[in-house]
Amino acid sequence: MAQQDPEERIELTSETRDLLEENDLRPLWEVEKTMGNVYDDLQPDIWKWADIKETIDNVEEDMPIEELPPGFQRRVAVPINTGMENAISNTIYLGVQTVSPGETAPSHRHGANALRFTIDGHEDMKTVVAGEEFPMENNDLITTPQWEWHDHVNDSDETAMWLDVLDLPLVLDSLNSSNVFENHELERQPVTKTQGYWDSQFGQARPADESKDDGIPGPFEGIRDPTPPHRFSWEETVRTLRQRADNNTPDPYDGYSMAYVNPTNGQPPLFPTMSFRAQLLQEATETHFHNATEVYFVIEGEGATHVGDETLEWSQWDIFVVPPNELHSHEPDGEEAILLGMTDRPVFEAFNFYAESAPSE
Ligand SMILES: [Fe+2]
Ligand SMILES: [Fe+2]
């Protein structure tokens, strides 16, 4: 016999119904089924680089950055998941940004955590964060933490492209918080630090006195282990990844997987809300599932990711999403592939909600 809807079984008198309505009260059995994010059926989905590139080239031709409205002077194409309106997932926002030769994406700061992962860069393409110029060379990852001024300056003669990754859907939609935001009075913030300053302060030698100026200013002062401005150069990251592969066995689900750590404490996650990994795949991984969402960017190579009944076939610079609680595994084609893995797992872990499992044999 089909199970009856509990709501239909419960007959309240019209007097009780009226009272509930008058007093803005509802019984739990009616409330419970309406709980949960409106975007509760996130789909596995993929954006092919050729499509992104063609589209964003057209946007670049149509729209110089200076013609965009103040506060939105970023030329970005945002992958939108089916059924959603503003992002690729419920927690992680990702966009593909371009800055043409000679252009500047003007300086601003905000409450959301953000980073750039360079797709096509140049030593003269710079993200300026907290007074320092960070060159954006291919596959470099640069943090632009909460409430730090950041602008993007292209002094090269080539268009530069990168991924913006922010925790905007979590901040704006799930927490219903505002992304406190401020534009700098100047288009380009003054460069006040020598190149390499921020990275140097979080290495094996650290400031011995208490007068260090590495705290996050403004409304985020006093937060635990703030993520500093930092450039993870690809040269160094890939060297670490290869050393790992040459000397160890891979993780069954993620391959050879190196986490980008918060430089203040040497531990993942990079941000309190998002964690990032460089993953080298040399063989097919085993299948698992977890309640955290994963978003991927293909750094190099080709292959497929099996998600539930679907197969997402990917090649270089494609972007794809693995929804929560879906069985998934990765399968590189040929020799090897490297993925940038992005996940909201730290949010789940912070509240003891993270769960992961593999199907039983
Ligand atoms: Fe920003
Ligand atoms: Fe996974």
Side-chain angles (χ1 to χ4, degrees):
M1 201 173 83
Q3 214 179 351
Q4 207 182 354
D5 185 337
E7 203 178 326
E8 286 171 20
R9 270 187 286 147
I10 297 162
E11 286 183 17
L12 297 172
T13 62
S14 57
E15 188 187 348
T16 309
R17 280 273 161 222
D18 290 347
L19 272 174
L20 285 163
E21 199 165 335
E22 271 169 35
N23 295 313
D24 294 326
L25 294 164
R26 285 184 78 180
L28 173 63
W29 64 84
E30 289 181 14
V31 170
E32 197 190 8
K33 60 195 254 182
T34 68
M35 281 183 178
N37 199 301
V38 285
Y39 304 125
D40 62 354
D41 64 343
L42 193 70
Q43 299 297 310
D45 211 343
I46 185 161
W47 289 259
K48 301 297 291 178
W49 178 252
D51 300 333
I52 299 171
K53 178 78 168 74
E54 188 188 0
T55 312
I56 202 155
D57 280 351
N58 273 45
V59 176
E60 190 189 351
E61 265 176 42
D62 291 358
M63 191 53 69
I65 287 175
E66 60 271 18
E67 286 182 24
L68 290 163
F72 294 94
Q73 287 177 304
R74 296 287 192 274
R75 190 172 46 235
V76 185
V78 181
I80 307 293
N81 197 287
T82 311
M84 296 190 67
E85 286 179 13
N86 54 18
I88 198 167
S89 78
N90 285 314
T91 46
I92 296 172
Y93 156 103
L94 188 142
V96 179
Q97 179 163 179
T98 65
V99 173
S100 310
E103 277 186 334
T104 294
S107 192
H108 69 203
R109 60 181 179 176
H110 43 69
N113 289 286
L115 65 72
R116 324 288 147 190
F117 187 87
T118 316
I119 301 171
D120 196 359
H122 194 282
E123 60 182 348
D124 292 325
M125 173 68 230
K126 291 162 209 137
T127 281
V128 188
V129 196
E132 183 184 331
E133 293 178 315
F134 292 82
M136 302 178 79
E137 297 195 71
N138 292 359
N139 301 333
D140 287 350
L141 186 155
I142 295 158
T143 64
T144 59
Q146 291 178 292
W147 212 238
E148 295 287 7
W149 295 114
H150 53 282
D151 42 272
H152 312 292
V153 177
N154 192 349
D155 288 332
S156 81
D157 51 9
E158 293 162 30
T159 293
M161 286 183 291
W162 61 85
L163 290 181
D164 291 317
V165 190
L166 289 89
D167 49 15
L168 282 178
L170 177 78
V171 173
L172 296 179
D173 296 334
S174 302
L175 298 179
N176 201 22
S177 174
S178 63
N179 179 22
V180 285
F181 184 95
E182 189 178 5
N183 282 312
H184 201 286
E185 57 187 7
L186 302 171
E187 185 181 58
R188 295 184 177 195
Q189 68 178 292
V191 175
T192 56
K193 302 270 196 283
T194 50
Q195 225 169 62
Y197 166 74
W198 281 108
D199 290 2
S200 73
Q201 299 304 292
F202 295 94
Q204 290 186 337
R206 302 204 175 195
D209 60 38
E210 291 298 314
S211 63
K212 55 188 178 182
D213 56 354
D214 55 358
I216 302 283
F220 300 97
E221 209 154 10
I223 61 171
R224 197 175 28 166
D225 294 332
T227 309
H230 194 81
R231 172 188 181 222
F232 295 88
S233 89
W234 181 244
E235 205 186 329
E236 205 178 312
T237 309
V238 81
R239 197 184 314 131
T240 311
L241 201 52
R242 297 226 168 268
Q243 285 281 6
R244 184 84 202 160
D246 289 347
N247 293 283
N248 294 277
T249 51
D251 176 88
Y253 309 110
D254 290 314
Y256 297 102
S257 179
M258 305 303 293
Y260 289 89
V261 301
N262 180 339
T264 59
N265 58 18
Q267 300 289 321
L270 183 55
F271 294 116
T273 50
M274 299 180 288
S275 197
F276 297 83
R277 303 181 301 252
Q279 297 176 228
L280 173 64
L281 305 170
Q282 291 180 337
E283 54 197 37
T285 66
E286 292 173 30
T287 301
H288 77 161
F289 66 100
H290 36 68
N291 52 3
T293 297
E294 284 176 336
V295 179
Y296 285 95
F297 172 73
V298 183
I299 297 173
E300 56 187 59
E302 291 181 10
T305 293
H306 307 282
V307 189
D309 297 333
E310 285 194 49
T311 295
L312 307 175
E313 289 189 8
W314 40 258
S315 52
Q316 193 179 35
W317 299 355
D318 290 351
I319 294 162
F320 61 95
V321 59
V322 177
N325 302 314
E326 292 267 16
L327 289 168
H328 59 277
S329 64
H330 307 295
E331 192 178 0
D333 238 4
E335 288 268 293
E336 60 177 36
I338 304 180
L339 304 178
L340 174 70
M342 302 165 255
T343 169
D344 57 7
R345 178 173 166 169
V347 179
F348 288 80
E349 286 180 327
F351 302 102
N352 280 346
F353 281 133
Y354 182 69
E356 173 180 338
S357 190
S360 47
E361 293 298 307

